[in-house]
Amino acid sequence: MRILEKPVPIGRIFFDLSNPRHDPLTTEDQAIEYLCDKEEVWSLARDIAAIGLNPLERVALIPIKGQKDAYIMAEGNRRLCALKLLADPDRAPAKLRKGFASLAARRTFPKEFYAAVFNDGEEVRPWLERMHNGAYDGRGRRQWNSEQSQRYSGSNKNKVAQGFLDYAVAEGLLSEEDRKGKLTTVQRFLGNDFMRETMGLDQTNPDELARTRPKAEFDAIARRFIRDLLGGELVNSRMNKPKIVEYARPLASIPGVTSTRIEAEALFSNGDSTSSKKSAKRKTTPKKPHKIRRVEYANEIASALKSYGNYKLESLYHSICDIELEHHTPLVCIGAWAFFESLNVKDS
């Protein structure tokens, strides 16, 4: 099969009125109305105005019999619609005309498509099937799943959740099968600084997560978190910030976990050569002591306060442990002073 590739003026390309996206239509105006109403052409036009046409995607054309240099758009009708309306905003549906006119005034848009020209519909059919029928038994385009998308996006908060899950699988705390579909929930919890502080998870360098608790204690907390994650009741994507903080508090008091903190150590200390070099550098370069972000909450103190039956003391202790030290140190000091003064009065 020999496919001709060449630039074709947009004015010589016409919509496929039998496009699988819609029922058969009779006019181009109907096609424009449908594509704008149902196929998000306005969003596509704004994207084209912002960064241009996707250079990784060509359009596919079929010559119109009996007409010289005229073509039907077999693949790319949404792009064709966007560019036709950017060239002539008056053709847009009434509610979008002002928007298209505003976009059209910003810059000059392409006047032609670099296209693959096929002889007929049967010749282009197998390629359209591979583009639009999903994975198509491995022959088509496979969409990225959520974790693959997160790896590519490279945002720091996503890297933290991704790195933690990688660690959990590597340490046998979580299976690859159980990991599926958990990224969003882990991201929600580890995006909370109180949760990270309680776990002892250091994200100073998102590309190389570290822990500030001894490994055995970090793993104990991670194991409990993963157990609750898989259970879905205590850890789920519906939790808001107060609920996440409430969940995190008791983690510091589970069996085997102490108040010990250490200099940050990479989670993957024996990883690839790059990681090993970074770890070596970490060990030989002096670092500041680990910064304590909050007064650590202790279940024993909370239980003792509860036995007093004094709600104000319980609430004051909760607030002292909830406020960030870095930005509110004087406030925490005053709260601690008031707390101990109140205890002295209670005991006397």
Side-chain angles (χ1 to χ4, degrees):
M1 179 190 303
R2 185 175 181 180
I3 301 171
L4 179 64
E5 299 181 30
K6 66 176 185 178
V8 178
I10 289 172
R12 302 303 298 165
I13 304 174
F14 301 89
F15 293 109
D16 179 4
L17 300 180
S18 299
N19 193 314
R21 290 185 183 277
H22 50 68
D23 293 333
L25 302 173
T26 56
T27 68
E28 287 221 322
D29 286 342
Q30 289 178 343
I32 289 173
E33 186 76 32
Y34 175 85
L35 290 169
C36 287
D37 186 44
K38 302 296 185 182
E39 299 294 342
E40 300 179 332
V41 166
W42 168 243
S43 295
L44 175 59
R46 288 193 301 172
D47 192 58
I48 293 172
I51 63 174
L53 284 169
N54 187 343
L56 303 181
E57 294 185 339
R58 288 182 301 176
V59 300
L61 305 179
I62 300 172
I64 298 176
K65 293 181 179 179
Q67 296 188 40
K68 184 179 180 181
D69 296 328
Y71 304 88
I72 292 294
M73 182 70 86
E75 168 58 31
N77 280 271
R78 293 176 64 247
R79 283 169 283 170
L80 177 64
C81 184
L83 287 182
K84 279 182 178 287
L85 297 184
L86 287 169
D88 185 2
D90 288 339
R91 295 190 67 185
K95 63 181 180 180
L96 295 177
R97 282 173 197 159
K98 186 179 291 186
F100 272 100
S102 176
L103 290 180
R106 293 184 187 179
R107 54 178 288 185
T108 300
F109 294 95
K111 303 297 183 184
E112 60 185 19
F113 279 114
Y114 193 76
V117 181
F118 295 80
N119 290 320
D120 52 41
E122 288 304 311
E123 195 173 65
V124 73
R125 178 184 295 276
W127 305 113
L128 294 180
E129 289 175 344
R130 283 156 177 76
M131 290 187 68
H132 295 290
N133 284 347
Y136 202 49
D137 297 327
R139 290 172 287 170
R141 180 174 295 173
R142 290 181 58 83
Q143 297 294 319
W144 286 337
N145 60 33
S146 60
E147 289 201 26
Q148 291 163 344
S149 296
Q150 302 294 8
R151 287 193 187 102
Y152 182 76
S153 70
S155 92
N156 287 350
K157 68 177 183 178
N158 296 338
K159 285 183 178 180
V160 172
Q162 186 74 53
F164 174 78
L165 288 170
D166 288 344
Y167 174 81
V169 171
E171 292 294 312
L173 306 177
L174 181 70
S175 70
E176 285 286 4
E177 185 64 28
D178 287 337
R179 171 186 184 150
K180 294 177 181 178
K182 299 298 188 295
L183 182 64
T184 301
T185 303
V186 173
Q187 178 182 306
R188 177 178 287 271
F189 274 72
L190 297 189
N192 182 284
D193 57 355
F194 187 87
M195 177 70 181
R196 293 194 308 275
E197 174 66 20
T198 301
M199 289 187 70
L201 187 62
D202 186 334
Q203 64 161 9
T204 304
N205 178 2
D207 292 317
E208 186 184 37
L209 291 181
R211 53 180 170 76
T212 59
R213 288 186 181 274
K215 185 177 186 307
E217 297 186 20
F218 179 85
D219 285 355
I221 295 176
R223 192 174 290 108
R224 173 67 63 84
F225 176 50
I226 289 168
R227 185 199 72 180
D228 296 337
L229 172 70
L230 297 180
E233 183 177 347
L234 298 176
V235 175
N236 57 67
S237 60
R238 299 183 299 278
M239 296 287 205
N240 57 21
K241 181 177 179 180
K243 287 293 184 182
I244 293 173
V245 171
E246 182 182 337
Y247 169 80
R249 289 192 185 283
L251 294 179
S253 301
I254 64 178
V257 175
T258 69
S259 59
T260 303
R261 295 288 178 156
I262 63 173
E263 182 181 341
E265 292 183 357
L267 290 187
F268 293 97
S269 58
N270 296 316
D272 58 28
S273 57
T274 302
S275 178
S276 298
K277 290 177 183 177
K278 288 181 180 178
S279 298
K281 186 175 181 180
R282 180 192 294 273
K283 292 177 181 178
T284 57
T285 304
K287 290 190 64 176
K288 292 182 179 180
H290 172 68
K291 183 181 291 187
I292 302 299
R293 297 184 181 277
R294 289 181 172 81
V295 174
E296 189 158 337
Y297 185 87
N299 277 345
E300 294 87 348
I301 296 176
S303 298
L305 292 174
K306 194 174 186 65
S307 68
Y308 282 169
N310 188 320
Y311 174 76
K312 289 184 178 180
L313 276 176
E314 287 185 68
S315 180
L316 182 55
Y317 180 63
H318 178 278
S319 297
I320 291 170
C321 297
D322 194 49
I323 298 173
E324 285 191 17
L325 288 170
E326 183 176 0
H327 302 294
H328 306 288
T329 304
L331 185 60
V332 175
C333 289
I334 293 171
W337 174 81
F339 176 73
F340 287 115
E341 283 289 314
S342 301
L343 277 180
N344 286 333
V345 172
K346 178 71 177 176
D347 290 338
S348 60

